[in-house]
mmCIF file of all heavy atoms in Angstrom:
data_model
loop_
_atom_site.group_PDB
_atom_site.id
_atom_site.type_symbol
_atom_site.label_atom_id
_atom_site.label_comp_id
_atom_site.label_asym_id
_atom_site.label_seq_id
_atom_site.Cartn_x
_atom_site.Cartn_y
_atom_site.Cartn_z
ATOM 1 N N ASP G 181 0.813 -1.256 -0.032
ATOM 2 C CA ASP G 181 0.018 0.036 -0.068
ATOM 3 C C ASP G 181 0.850 1.289 -0.004
ATOM 4 O O ASP G 181 0.485 2.347 -0.540
ATOM 5 C CB ASP G 181 -0.941 -0.025 1.156
ATOM 6 C CG ASP G 181 -1.962 -1.174 1.242
ATOM 7 O OD1 ASP G 181 -2.058 -1.782 0.098
ATOM 8 O OD2 ASP G 181 -2.505 -1.423 2.173
ATOM 9 N N THR G 182 2.028 1.388 0.665
ATOM 10 C CA THR G 182 2.796 2.460 0.716
ATOM 11 C C THR G 182 3.792 2.546 -0.358
ATOM 12 O O THR G 182 4.070 3.576 -0.938
ATOM 13 C CB THR G 182 3.516 2.588 2.161
ATOM 14 O OG1 THR G 182 2.620 2.491 3.154
ATOM 15 C CG2 THR G 182 4.325 3.816 2.193
ATOM 16 N N LEU G 183 4.500 1.401 -0.639
ATOM 17 C CA LEU G 183 5.577 1.309 -1.650
ATOM 18 C C LEU G 183 5.085 0.901 -3.070
ATOM 19 O O LEU G 183 5.844 0.965 -3.970
ATOM 20 C CB LEU G 183 6.693 0.546 -1.160
ATOM 21 C CG LEU G 183 7.308 0.995 0.179
ATOM 22 C CD1 LEU G 183 8.470 0.059 0.650
ATOM 23 C CD2 LEU G 183 7.862 2.460 0.018
ATOM 24 N N GLY G 184 3.864 0.334 -3.129
ATOM 25 C CA GLY G 184 3.372 -0.140 -4.439
ATOM 26 C C GLY G 184 4.081 -1.389 -4.967
ATOM 27 O O GLY G 184 4.059 -1.652 -6.155
ATOM 28 N N LEU G 185 4.675 -2.245 -4.056
ATOM 29 C CA LEU G 185 5.237 -3.391 -4.435
ATOM 30 C C LEU G 185 4.243 -4.555 -4.349
ATOM 31 O O LEU G 185 4.099 -5.216 -3.281
ATOM 32 C CB LEU G 185 6.572 -3.738 -3.608
ATOM 33 C CG LEU G 185 7.520 -2.680 -3.731
ATOM 34 C CD1 LEU G 185 8.682 -2.925 -2.663
ATOM 35 C CD2 LEU G 185 8.294 -2.731 -5.132
ATOM 36 N N ALA G 186 3.404 -4.724 -5.379
ATOM 37 C CA ALA G 186 2.253 -5.577 -5.318
ATOM 38 C C ALA G 186 2.599 -7.016 -5.649
ATOM 39 O O ALA G 186 1.712 -7.952 -5.535
ATOM 40 C CB ALA G 186 1.201 -5.101 -6.353
ATOM 41 N N GLY G 187 3.864 -7.378 -5.892
ATOM 42 C CA GLY G 187 4.229 -8.813 -6.061
ATOM 43 C C GLY G 187 4.157 -9.646 -4.947
ATOM 44 O O GLY G 187 3.836 -10.855 -5.022
ATOM 45 N N THR G 188 4.379 -9.036 -3.709
ATOM 46 C CA THR G 188 4.124 -9.795 -2.514
ATOM 47 C C THR G 188 2.660 -9.725 -2.166
ATOM 48 O O THR G 188 1.972 -8.683 -2.031
ATOM 49 C CB THR G 188 4.964 -9.172 -1.421
ATOM 50 O OG1 THR G 188 6.337 -9.081 -1.785
ATOM 51 C CG2 THR G 188 4.828 -10.032 -0.086
ATOM 52 N N ARG G 189 2.016 -10.980 -2.037
ATOM 53 C CA ARG G 189 0.598 -11.087 -1.971
ATOM 54 C C ARG G 189 0.105 -11.337 -0.538
ATOM 55 O O ARG G 189 0.795 -11.857 0.254
ATOM 56 C CB ARG G 189 0.039 -12.207 -2.910
ATOM 57 C CG ARG G 189 0.490 -12.104 -4.285
ATOM 58 C CD ARG G 189 -0.460 -11.211 -5.185
ATOM 59 N NE ARG G 189 -0.006 -10.845 -6.370
ATOM 60 C CZ ARG G 189 0.192 -11.626 -7.418
ATOM 61 N NH1 ARG G 189 0.082 -12.864 -7.389
ATOM 62 N NH2 ARG G 189 0.477 -11.159 -8.555
ATOM 63 N N PHE G 190 -1.197 -10.955 -0.313
ATOM 64 C CA PHE G 190 -1.889 -11.309 0.887
ATOM 65 C C PHE G 190 -2.579 -12.627 0.749
ATOM 66 O O PHE G 190 -3.327 -12.761 -0.290
ATOM 67 C CB PHE G 190 -2.898 -10.200 1.321
ATOM 68 C CG PHE G 190 -3.692 -10.481 2.520
ATOM 69 C CD1 PHE G 190 -3.156 -10.151 3.693
ATOM 70 C CD2 PHE G 190 -4.850 -11.185 2.423
ATOM 71 C CE1 PHE G 190 -3.942 -10.370 4.799
ATOM 72 C CE2 PHE G 190 -5.583 -11.450 3.645
ATOM 73 C CZ PHE G 190 -5.122 -11.090 4.845
ATOM 74 N N GLY G 191 -2.374 -13.553 1.655
ATOM 75 C CA GLY G 191 -3.000 -14.795 1.598
ATOM 76 C C GLY G 191 -3.945 -14.964 2.800
ATOM 77 O O GLY G 191 -5.007 -14.687 2.823
ATOM 78 N N CYS G 192 -3.314 -15.525 3.857
ATOM 79 C CA CYS G 192 -4.120 -15.885 5.085
ATOM 80 C C CYS G 192 -4.178 -14.756 6.178
ATOM 81 O O CYS G 192 -5.122 -14.634 6.945
ATOM 82 C CB CYS G 192 -3.581 -17.136 5.719
ATOM 83 S SG CYS G 192 -1.898 -16.870 6.318
ATOM 84 N N GLY G 193 -3.133 -13.907 6.173
ATOM 85 C CA GLY G 193 -3.026 -12.855 7.206
ATOM 86 C C GLY G 193 -2.477 -13.280 8.410
ATOM 87 O O GLY G 193 -2.454 -12.441 9.470
ATOM 88 N N SER G 194 -2.097 -14.627 8.672
ATOM 89 C CA SER G 194 -1.716 -15.090 9.876
ATOM 90 C C SER G 194 -0.321 -15.729 9.742
ATOM 91 O O SER G 194 0.108 -16.450 10.774
ATOM 92 C CB SER G 194 -2.682 -16.099 10.402
ATOM 93 O OG SER G 194 -2.884 -17.208 9.546
ATOM 94 N N GLY G 195 0.375 -15.709 8.608
ATOM 95 C CA GLY G 195 1.685 -16.264 8.412
ATOM 96 C C GLY G 195 1.671 -17.712 8.159
ATOM 97 O O GLY G 195 2.749 -18.348 8.338
ATOM 98 N N ASP G 196 0.553 -18.336 7.836
ATOM 99 C CA ASP G 196 0.499 -19.686 7.686
ATOM 100 C C ASP G 196 0.583 -20.288 6.234
ATOM 101 O O ASP G 196 0.936 -21.385 6.034
ATOM 102 C CB ASP G 196 -0.817 -20.147 8.213
ATOM 103 C CG ASP G 196 -0.866 -20.121 9.737
ATOM 104 O OD1 ASP G 196 0.089 -20.307 10.436
ATOM 105 O OD2 ASP G 196 -1.985 -19.773 10.189
ATOM 106 N N CYS G 197 0.355 -19.364 5.181
ATOM 107 C CA CYS G 197 0.317 -19.915 3.844
ATOM 108 C C CYS G 197 1.609 -19.610 2.966
ATOM 109 O O CYS G 197 1.787 -20.231 1.996
ATOM 110 C CB CYS G 197 -0.889 -19.340 3.182
ATOM 111 S SG CYS G 197 -0.740 -17.554 2.698
ATOM 112 N N GLY G 198 2.413 -18.636 3.423
ATOM 113 C CA GLY G 198 3.630 -18.371 2.677
ATOM 114 C C GLY G 198 3.478 -17.544 1.491
ATOM 115 O O GLY G 198 4.481 -17.170 0.810
ATOM 116 N N THR G 199 2.194 -17.068 1.118
ATOM 117 C CA THR G 199 1.973 -16.254 -0.033
ATOM 118 C C THR G 199 2.815 -14.869 0.058
ATOM 119 O O THR G 199 3.264 -14.417 -0.938
ATOM 120 C CB THR G 199 0.557 -16.005 -0.172
ATOM 121 O OG1 THR G 199 -0.141 -17.217 -0.331
ATOM 122 C CG2 THR G 199 0.234 -15.146 -1.376
ATOM 123 N N CYS G 200 2.982 -14.390 1.306
ATOM 124 C CA CYS G 200 3.571 -13.079 1.445
ATOM 125 C C CYS G 200 5.001 -13.228 1.781
ATOM 126 O O CYS G 200 5.561 -12.180 2.336
ATOM 127 C CB CYS G 200 2.836 -12.288 2.552
ATOM 128 S SG CYS G 200 2.963 -13.106 4.232
ATOM 129 N N MET G 201 5.646 -14.254 1.533
ATOM 130 C CA MET G 201 7.079 -14.479 1.863
ATOM 131 C C MET G 201 8.036 -13.463 1.217
ATOM 132 O O MET G 201 7.870 -13.106 0.074
ATOM 133 C CB MET G 201 7.520 -15.944 1.474
ATOM 134 C CG MET G 201 8.693 -16.473 2.227
ATOM 135 S SD MET G 201 8.298 -16.973 3.881
ATOM 136 C CE MET G 201 7.309 -18.384 3.734
ATOM 137 N N VAL G 202 8.851 -12.912 2.069
ATOM 138 C CA VAL G 202 9.929 -12.050 1.616
ATOM 139 C C VAL G 202 11.290 -12.559 2.281
ATOM 140 O O VAL G 202 11.221 -13.315 3.185
ATOM 141 C CB VAL G 202 9.713 -10.532 2.040
ATOM 142 C CG1 VAL G 202 8.466 -10.016 1.336
ATOM 143 C CG2 VAL G 202 9.654 -10.448 3.525
ATOM 144 N N LEU G 203 12.474 -12.032 1.786
ATOM 145 C CA LEU G 203 13.692 -12.338 2.467
ATOM 146 C C LEU G 203 14.031 -11.195 3.451
ATOM 147 O O LEU G 203 14.007 -9.963 3.060
ATOM 148 C CB LEU G 203 14.848 -12.530 1.436
ATOM 149 C CG LEU G 203 14.659 -13.590 0.502
ATOM 150 C CD1 LEU G 203 15.738 -13.581 -0.591
ATOM 151 C CD2 LEU G 203 14.433 -14.976 1.196
ATOM 152 N N LEU G 204 14.286 -11.577 4.743
ATOM 153 C CA LEU G 204 14.715 -10.611 5.690
ATOM 154 C C LEU G 204 16.105 -11.015 6.139
ATOM 155 O O LEU G 204 16.301 -12.107 6.655
ATOM 156 C CB LEU G 204 13.763 -10.594 6.940
ATOM 157 C CG LEU G 204 14.071 -9.763 8.035
ATOM 158 C CD1 LEU G 204 14.047 -8.293 7.690
ATOM 159 C CD2 LEU G 204 13.254 -9.888 9.258
ATOM 160 N N ASP G 205 17.016 -10.191 5.700
ATOM 161 C CA ASP G 205 18.497 -10.462 5.899
ATOM 162 C C ASP G 205 18.789 -11.852 5.354
ATOM 163 O O ASP G 205 19.465 -12.685 6.003
ATOM 164 C CB ASP G 205 18.855 -10.300 7.402
ATOM 165 C CG ASP G 205 18.853 -8.905 7.842
ATOM 166 O OD1 ASP G 205 18.971 -7.978 6.936
ATOM 167 O OD2 ASP G 205 18.842 -8.640 9.007
ATOM 168 N N GLY G 206 18.158 -12.239 4.239
ATOM 169 C CA GLY G 206 18.410 -13.491 3.528
ATOM 170 C C GLY G 206 17.569 -14.748 4.023
ATOM 171 O O GLY G 206 17.649 -15.738 3.355
ATOM 172 N N ARG G 207 16.757 -14.474 5.042
ATOM 173 C CA ARG G 207 15.867 -15.629 5.550
ATOM 174 C C ARG G 207 14.474 -15.350 5.145
ATOM 175 O O ARG G 207 13.979 -14.245 5.238
ATOM 176 C CB ARG G 207 15.976 -15.617 7.069
ATOM 177 C CG ARG G 207 17.230 -16.084 7.682
ATOM 178 C CD ARG G 207 17.213 -16.157 9.235
ATOM 179 N NE ARG G 207 15.915 -15.888 9.848
ATOM 180 C CZ ARG G 207 15.411 -14.811 10.373
ATOM 181 N NH1 ARG G 207 16.288 -13.763 10.349
ATOM 182 N NH2 ARG G 207 14.348 -14.615 10.956
ATOM 183 N N PRO G 208 13.806 -16.457 4.654
ATOM 184 C CA PRO G 208 12.337 -16.338 4.225
ATOM 185 C C PRO G 208 11.553 -16.098 5.519
ATOM 186 O O PRO G 208 11.622 -16.811 6.490
ATOM 187 C CB PRO G 208 12.068 -17.560 3.508
ATOM 188 C CG PRO G 208 13.059 -18.594 4.042
ATOM 189 C CD PRO G 208 14.262 -17.799 4.494
ATOM 190 N N VAL G 209 10.665 -15.001 5.420
ATOM 191 C CA VAL G 209 9.705 -14.698 6.591
ATOM 192 C C VAL G 209 8.415 -14.241 5.867
ATOM 193 O O VAL G 209 8.435 -13.719 4.792
ATOM 194 C CB VAL G 209 10.318 -13.681 7.509
ATOM 195 C CG1 VAL G 209 11.507 -14.045 8.162
ATOM 196 C CG2 VAL G 209 10.472 -12.368 6.806
ATOM 197 N N THR G 210 7.332 -14.425 6.643
ATOM 198 C CA THR G 210 6.106 -13.926 6.215
ATOM 199 C C THR G 210 5.893 -12.467 6.549
ATOM 200 O O THR G 210 6.208 -12.006 7.658
ATOM 201 C CB THR G 210 4.908 -14.826 6.889
ATOM 202 O OG1 THR G 210 5.057 -14.800 8.246
ATOM 203 C CG2 THR G 210 4.885 -16.152 6.237
ATOM 204 N N ALA G 211 5.437 -11.650 5.664
ATOM 205 C CA ALA G 211 5.344 -10.182 5.818
ATOM 206 C C ALA G 211 4.052 -9.805 6.427
ATOM 207 O O ALA G 211 4.003 -8.693 6.838
ATOM 208 C CB ALA G 211 5.562 -9.539 4.510
ATOM 209 N N CYS G 212 2.993 -10.719 6.321
ATOM 210 C CA CYS G 212 1.674 -10.257 6.751
ATOM 211 C C CYS G 212 1.554 -10.124 8.338
ATOM 212 O O CYS G 212 0.765 -9.395 8.790
ATOM 213 C CB CYS G 212 0.580 -11.258 6.274
ATOM 214 S SG CYS G 212 0.740 -12.940 7.048
ATOM 215 N N ASP G 213 2.433 -10.914 9.010
ATOM 216 C CA ASP G 213 2.342 -10.838 10.471
ATOM 217 C C ASP G 213 3.615 -10.247 11.093
ATOM 218 O O ASP G 213 3.838 -10.524 12.357
ATOM 219 C CB ASP G 213 2.020 -12.210 11.059
ATOM 220 C CG ASP G 213 3.043 -13.290 10.649
ATOM 221 O OD1 ASP G 213 3.940 -12.979 9.834
ATOM 222 O OD2 ASP G 213 2.964 -14.344 11.202
ATOM 223 N N LEU G 214 4.379 -9.581 10.320
ATOM 224 C CA LEU G 214 5.706 -9.013 10.735
ATOM 225 C C LEU G 214 5.548 -7.546 10.879
ATOM 226 O O LEU G 214 5.317 -6.772 9.880
ATOM 227 C CB LEU G 214 6.796 -9.442 9.717
ATOM 228 C CG LEU G 214 8.185 -9.019 10.131
ATOM 229 C CD1 LEU G 214 8.620 -9.741 11.428
ATOM 230 C CD2 LEU G 214 9.138 -9.314 8.917
ATOM 231 N N PRO G 215 5.612 -6.981 12.091
ATOM 232 C CA PRO G 215 5.508 -5.572 12.244
ATOM 233 C C PRO G 215 6.675 -4.717 11.686
ATOM 234 O O PRO G 215 7.843 -5.289 11.696
ATOM 235 C CB PRO G 215 5.330 -5.278 13.766
ATOM 236 C CG PRO G 215 5.992 -6.568 14.370
ATOM 237 C CD PRO G 215 5.812 -7.613 13.345
ATOM 238 N N LEU G 216 6.429 -3.585 11.188
ATOM 239 C CA LEU G 216 7.377 -2.756 10.502
ATOM 240 C C LEU G 216 8.648 -2.538 11.523
ATOM 241 O O LEU G 216 9.673 -2.535 11.000
ATOM 242 C CB LEU G 216 6.859 -1.440 10.090
ATOM 243 C CG LEU G 216 7.695 -0.493 9.328
ATOM 244 C CD1 LEU G 216 8.271 -1.056 8.185
ATOM 245 C CD2 LEU G 216 6.999 0.840 9.097
ATOM 246 N N ASP G 217 8.283 -2.283 12.772
ATOM 247 C CA ASP G 217 9.434 -2.053 13.686
ATOM 248 C C ASP G 217 10.432 -3.242 13.837
ATOM 249 O O ASP G 217 11.580 -3.044 14.248
ATOM 250 C CB ASP G 217 9.004 -1.445 14.968
ATOM 251 C CG ASP G 217 8.230 -2.482 15.759
ATOM 252 O OD1 ASP G 217 7.838 -3.531 15.324
ATOM 253 O OD2 ASP G 217 7.974 -2.155 17.054
ATOM 254 N N ALA G 218 9.994 -4.403 13.478
ATOM 255 C CA ALA G 218 10.821 -5.608 13.623
ATOM 256 C C ALA G 218 11.824 -5.556 12.447
ATOM 257 O O ALA G 218 12.834 -6.404 12.412
ATOM 258 C CB ALA G 218 10.010 -6.846 13.578
ATOM 259 N N VAL G 219 11.616 -4.852 11.338
ATOM 260 C CA VAL G 219 12.518 -4.903 10.208
ATOM 261 C C VAL G 219 13.398 -3.607 10.153
ATOM 262 O O VAL G 219 14.129 -3.418 9.233
ATOM 263 C CB VAL G 219 11.744 -5.094 8.879
ATOM 264 C CG1 VAL G 219 10.995 -6.453 8.940
ATOM 265 C CG2 VAL G 219 10.833 -4.012 8.561
ATOM 266 N N ALA G 220 13.263 -2.747 11.117
ATOM 267 C CA ALA G 220 13.979 -1.491 11.154
ATOM 268 C C ALA G 220 15.541 -1.740 11.046
ATOM 269 O O ALA G 220 16.045 -2.554 11.749
ATOM 270 C CB ALA G 220 13.667 -0.693 12.337
ATOM 271 N N GLY G 221 16.138 -1.153 10.028
ATOM 272 C CA GLY G 221 17.509 -1.294 9.825
ATOM 273 C C GLY G 221 18.022 -2.627 9.203
ATOM 274 O O GLY G 221 19.222 -2.832 9.105
ATOM 275 N N LYS G 222 17.077 -3.351 8.746
ATOM 276 C CA LYS G 222 17.324 -4.677 8.203
ATOM 277 C C LYS G 222 17.088 -4.627 6.678
ATOM 278 O O LYS G 222 16.649 -3.619 6.106
ATOM 279 C CB LYS G 222 16.574 -5.763 8.840
ATOM 280 C CG LYS G 222 16.847 -5.954 10.344
ATOM 281 C CD LYS G 222 16.091 -7.073 10.814
ATOM 282 C CE LYS G 222 16.528 -7.120 12.390
ATOM 283 N NZ LYS G 222 15.774 -8.164 13.014
ATOM 284 N N SER G 223 17.486 -5.639 6.008
ATOM 285 C CA SER G 223 17.380 -5.686 4.583
ATOM 286 C C SER G 223 16.184 -6.665 4.187
ATOM 287 O O SER G 223 16.179 -7.821 4.613
ATOM 288 C CB SER G 223 18.618 -6.312 3.886
ATOM 289 O OG SER G 223 18.459 -6.480 2.520
ATOM 290 N N VAL G 224 15.326 -6.134 3.367
ATOM 291 C CA VAL G 224 14.072 -6.940 2.851
ATOM 292 C C VAL G 224 14.189 -7.037 1.349
ATOM 293 O O VAL G 224 14.423 -6.031 0.655
ATOM 294 C CB VAL G 224 12.746 -6.220 3.205
ATOM 295 C CG1 VAL G 224 11.614 -6.939 2.636
ATOM 296 C CG2 VAL G 224 12.651 -6.152 4.750
ATOM 297 N N ILE G 225 14.020 -8.216 0.851
ATOM 298 C CA ILE G 225 13.959 -8.517 -0.604
ATOM 299 C C ILE G 225 12.696 -9.039 -0.936
ATOM 300 O O ILE G 225 12.263 -10.093 -0.330
ATOM 301 C CB ILE G 225 15.099 -9.468 -1.015
ATOM 302 C CG1 ILE G 225 16.593 -8.936 -0.703
ATOM 303 C CG2 ILE G 225 14.988 -9.686 -2.598
ATOM 304 C CD1 ILE G 225 16.930 -7.750 -1.432
ATOM 305 N N THR G 226 11.959 -8.471 -1.819
ATOM 306 C CA THR G 226 10.668 -8.932 -2.382
ATOM 307 C C THR G 226 10.911 -9.629 -3.725
ATOM 308 O O THR G 226 12.059 -9.598 -4.272
ATOM 309 C CB THR G 226 9.740 -7.714 -2.491
ATOM 310 O OG1 THR G 226 10.166 -7.006 -3.626
ATOM 311 C CG2 THR G 226 9.531 -6.969 -1.224
#
């Protein structure tokens, strides 16, 4: 919604389906249940 990167999709909203997976410092994590402050200063790859 803010950055317009629509390739990462909303699936379940609870981190169970993997549809919203991104790389956080090289590790796959779900973005739907990850608060913004948890990624401050880190690297996210979509």
Side-chain angles (χ1 to χ4, degrees):
D181 298 347
T182 305
L183 301 177
L185 298 171
T188 304
R189 304 273 170 65
F190 178 86
C192 65
S194 60
D196 293 323
C197 73
T199 299
C200 65
M201 204 70 75
V202 297
L203 298 178
L204 178 62
D205 289 340
R207 291 183 5 262
V209 298
T210 52
C212 69
D213 59 351
L214 188 64
L216 182 60
D217 64 349
V219 301
K222 297 183 179 178
S223 174
V224 174
I225 302 292
T226 68

